Amino acid sequence: MRVVILAGGRGTRISEETDVKPKPMVDIGGRPILWHIMRHYAAQGFDDFVIAGGYKADVIKRFFLDEVRMAGDLTVDTRRGRVTRSGPAFDNWRVRIVNTGLDTNTGGRILRLKPHLDGAPFLVTYGDGVCDVPMQAVIDQHRAQGHLATITAVHPPARFGGLRFDGDDVAGFVEKPQIGEGWINGGFAVFEPGVFDYLALDGDEGSLEVALYERLAREGKLGAYRHEGFWQCVDTLRELRLLQGLWDSGKAPWKTWIDVTVRAVAAA
C-alpha cells in the first residue's frame, strides 16, 4: 500500500516554528517530524510515499533532494573527481511530493492525489503526529470488517500533569498522563478507493473529518482500530519540547526502527 501524508497545512497554532517551514518539517532530534513518521511506516514495510504538499512545499522538496545528495559522510578526491559516501544507510523509499494547493482542505488534498494512487487501497495520516501504531493490525481489522475507511482511535494526552496518591499523601507526579476514557481520531488510517466518491462531493473545500468520516459513520462504513499505545501530535511548543525530551532520553516510544550503517558507496 502507498502511504499518503498530509503535509500542506499552515500550522498556525505553532507559528513560532511554521513561519519559515511547514509543520511536518519542524525538527525533533535534528530530523523533521515527517521523517519520523515515514521511518515508522518504512519499519513495517510501507516505503512508497505520496506527500500532499501545499504551504512551503519547497522546503519538503529540498529536504529530500539533500537526503539524496548529502546523506552520510563525504570523502572528496579532487584529483580523480570522485566523491565517496559512508555512514548511515540511505532510506530505501520512493517519495512523490504533489502540490495539492495552498489553501485546499484536507479532504480536497486527498481527492487531488487520486491519479497517484492507481485505484488501490492506501494508507493516510497527518504530518504532525508520531506513534507506535502497528499498521498491519490496522489493515487486518480493516479488511476483516469490510469498511470503506478505518481510522486509528487513540486516547488524547491530558493537557496538564497529574498526581498519584497514597491515601491522602501525594506519592508522585505524572508529567503527561493519558486520559483513561474517551477516544479521538489519531490518523494512521486505511482507505479504500471508494472514498473518492464521497470526497468529490465537496472538492477542495471538504475537510476529511466532515466530507468523509461523518458521512461514512452515518452509513456504517467507518471503522476504528483502538490503539492503547503511544500517540502524540504537535500543536504547541510544549508538545514539541515533550517529544524532543523523549528523543534526547533515548526512550522515544515512536522509534520503531533500527538504525544501521553501510559501507562506503561511490557517488557520481
Side-chain angles (χ1 to χ4, degrees), residues 238-268:
R238 186 177 189 275
E239 290 165 342
L240 179 62
R241 288 165 184 156
L242 167 70
L243 294 180
Q244 183 64 57
L246 288 171
W247 184 263
D248 291 343
S249 74
K251 299 178 181 179
W254 69 92
K255 188 178 183 297
T256 55
W257 59 89
I258 299 173
D259 294 318
V260 297
T261 58
V262 295
R263 296 178 179 177
V265 179

Side-chain angles (χ1 to χ4, degrees), residues 61-108:
K61 293 176 182 177
R62 284 196 211 99
F63 171 76
F64 286 105
L65 288 174
D66 287 345
E67 281 291 282
V68 173
R69 296 171 181 168
M70 306 294 289
D73 303 324
L74 298 181
T75 301
V76 181
D77 186 337
T78 58
R79 289 174 295 181
R80 299 180 182 179
R82 292 175 61 86
V83 178
T84 303
R85 292 192 185 98
S86 60
F90 310 122
D91 290 307
N92 188 25
W93 303 339
R94 182 183 184 190
V95 184
R96 275 161 285 194
I97 303 161
V98 181
N99 181 7
T100 55
L102 187 60
D103 296 310
T104 308
N105 214 330
T106 49

Side-chain angles (χ1 to χ4, degrees), residues 23 25 40-41 44 56-57 103 129 139-140 142 158 170 206 258:
K23 187 159 62 165
M25 298 305 292
H40 173 65
Y41 276 108
Q44 301 179 68
K56 295 190 180 296
D103 296 310
I139 294 168
D140 291 344
H142 172 78
V170 175
I258 299 173

Side-chain angles (χ1 to χ4, degrees), residues 70-204:
M70 306 294 289
D73 303 324
L74 298 181
T75 301
V76 181
D77 186 337
T78 58
R79 289 174 295 181
R80 299 180 182 179
R82 292 175 61 86
V83 178
T84 303
R85 292 192 185 98
S86 60
F90 310 122
D91 290 307
N92 188 25
W93 303 339
R94 182 183 184 190
V95 184
R96 275 161 285 194
I97 303 161
V98 181
N99 181 7
T100 55
L102 187 60
D103 296 310
T104 308
N105 214 330
T106 49
R109 292 190 191 281
I110 299 292
L111 182 61
R112 288 196 181 199
L113 295 179
K114 183 178 180 181
H116 302 275
L117 298 170
D118 297 339
F122 55 100
L123 305 175
V124 179
T125 197
Y126 305 99
D128 62 354
V130 291
C131 72
D132 59 359
V133 173
M135 290 311 306
Q136 192 58 54
V138 183
I139 294 168
D140 291 344
Q141 177 182 303
H142 172 78
R143 289 172 171 165
Q145 296 184 350
H147 289 119
L148 267 184
T150 298
I151 59 176
T152 297
V154 298
H155 291 300
R159 284 188 61 198
F160 305 105
L163 300 175
R164 289 189 292 106
F165 288 98
D166 180 7
D168 289 331
D169 296 334
V170 175
F173 295 85
V174 181
E175 170 61 23
K176 199 76 171 179
Q178 292 281 336
I179 295 175
E181 299 179 359
W183 298 85
I184 63 170
N185 169 27
F188 298 93
V190 188
F191 285 4
E192 295 295 321
V195 301
F196 290 115
D197 294 336
Y198 293 81
L199 296 173
L201 296 174
D202 294 298
D204 282 354

